[in-house]
Amino acid sequence: MMTIHETEAGAADVEEGLVRNDQAPNAYIVSGEWPSAELSPDAPIGAHVGQEIARRLKAAMETRELTHRGLAERSGLGWRTVGRVLLGDVYPDVATLARLEQALDIEIYPTRWHRQLQQGSSES
């Protein structure tokens, strides 16, 4: 997975599985274990979305009694890719999400997640 973005200077910048200048989703953990860990209050929305994707993916795999390799076979992805998404090491790209959703026949991407995060922060 490669993400291409422009730096502040305008030059193209490529980082494997990362978004802009954000760190990997799991880099924002303040306590607990991924994917149920508490994230830093300043964690970008992408880290929260990555965490929810990992939660949903993990739950679906447990329900179906699938291993990383089993899901990789079903989805046509590499088992390392599946593992990196589950561990929060990368932000999965759209093609990866589509393959995982198709393989598991569920929605993994948390639509309208930004609204839930906004509601949660306004209640604090």
Side-chain angles (χ1 to χ4, degrees), residues 95-112:
T96 298
L97 286 172
R99 285 179 175 224
L100 291 170
E101 287 184 342
Q102 183 179 36
L104 295 169
D105 193 30
I106 63 167
E107 290 184 16
I108 296 172
Y109 186 83
T111 58
R112 301 181 188 268

Side-chain angles (χ1 to χ4, degrees), residues 3-8 10-15 18-22:
T3 302
I4 300 174
H5 58 82
E6 289 189 16
T7 62
E8 290 179 30
D13 189 12
V14 178
E15 294 180 45
L18 298 181
V19 177
R20 303 192 193 286
N21 293 324
D22 296 346

Side-chain angles (χ1 to χ4, degrees), residues 56-76:
R56 292 178 183 194
L57 189 56
K58 180 180 176 184
M61 289 174 63
E62 288 173 355
T63 299
R64 291 162 180 76
E65 298 180 356
L66 280 173
T67 63
H68 292 77
R69 290 181 192 265
L71 180 55
E73 282 182 30
R74 228 185 226 202
S75 64

Side-chain angles (χ1 to χ4, degrees), residues 25-66:
N26 63 12
Y28 296 95
I29 294 173
V30 291
S31 67
E33 291 187 30
W34 188 266
S36 56
E38 177 186 351
L39 299 185
S40 170
D42 65 343
I45 190 167
H48 293 277
V49 171
Q51 182 180 40
E52 185 61 20
I53 288 168
R55 286 178 182 157
R56 292 178 183 194
L57 189 56
K58 180 180 176 184
M61 289 174 63
E62 288 173 355
T63 299
R64 291 162 180 76
E65 298 180 356
L66 280 173

